[in-house]
Amino acid sequence: MDHYIHDSDGSSSSSHQSLKSTAKWAASLENLLEDPEGVKRFREFLKKEFSEENVLFWLACEDFKKMQDRKQMQEKAKEIYMTFLSSKASSQVNVEGQSRLNEKILEEPHPLMFQKLQDQIFNLMKYDSYSRFLKSDLFLKHKRTEEEEEDSSDAQTAAKRASRIYNT
């Protein structure tokens, strides 16, 4: 019994997890955005679609929510506003109620000030670019590579497992 428990916690399952990142990414946009490699691939894809600003805005809001220092929050809020929300923004995101967002809010920053907009962009990505990402060559190629790597590691794992069974 002990051997079995150890085996399932051992190296084979942890290497599995890192390999099967595409399965996690495909499970939900949340999973994809929690994985630095996933974010990298998603950004590559969005660049081709000319909508990379969406994920950049989402990531900037995530960073912003973690900030404690008021001065830093003010600077970051201004940066987010100027980069993504102002009418002159270089990477403007398309959110409702944009016109109502004026620079006054930047004077009193609070961690969730961008939450509504962040949620809108999340949903936009989720129902739009994310589903296309999962069908894209970029994603499918990565998935194929993983499956090939997994096939070769599965053979090794099976051999190890067999030798372990006969040695007990």
Side-chain angles (χ1 to χ4, degrees), residues 6-114:
H6 176 72
D7 189 354
S8 66
D9 281 346
S11 58
S12 63
S13 67
S14 60
S15 67
H16 256 13
Q17 266 171 341
S18 61
L19 286 172
K20 289 308 266 180
S21 52
T22 49
K24 280 197 300 221
W25 302 348
S28 75
L29 179 55
E30 287 86 345
N31 286 358
L32 175 69
L33 293 169
E34 277 166 15
D35 182 348
E37 179 65 20
V39 167
K40 201 174 105 189
R41 304 279 168 167
F42 194 41
R43 278 182 63 178
E44 273 172 51
F45 171 74
L46 291 176
K47 242 186 213 129
K48 291 186 177 136
E49 291 217 327
F50 304 104
S51 59
E52 189 191 13
E53 68 280 355
N54 289 336
V55 74
L56 294 177
F57 172 70
W58 189 90
L59 292 165
C61 292
E62 282 300 284
D63 287 345
F64 178 76
K65 284 192 282 197
K66 295 182 188 109
M67 292 183 156
Q68 306 286 319
D69 181 65
R70 198 181 141 77
K71 186 144 178 55
Q72 273 183 327
M73 274 172 81
Q74 250 171 336
E75 281 165 23
K76 183 75 173 174
K78 192 170 179 181
E79 184 190 312
I80 289 174
Y81 180 80
M82 297 314 281
T83 310
F84 302 106
L85 300 169
S86 138
S87 54
K88 300 183 278 291
S90 50
S91 308
Q92 195 176 25
V93 290
N94 188 5
V95 286
E96 294 160 34
Q98 211 154 12
S99 48
R100 286 197 302 275
L101 244 191
N102 63 29
E103 293 184 54
K104 276 207 178 70
I105 62 163
L106 303 178
E107 291 160 21
E108 297 293 329
H110 58 91
L112 300 178
M113 63 191 280
F114 297 118

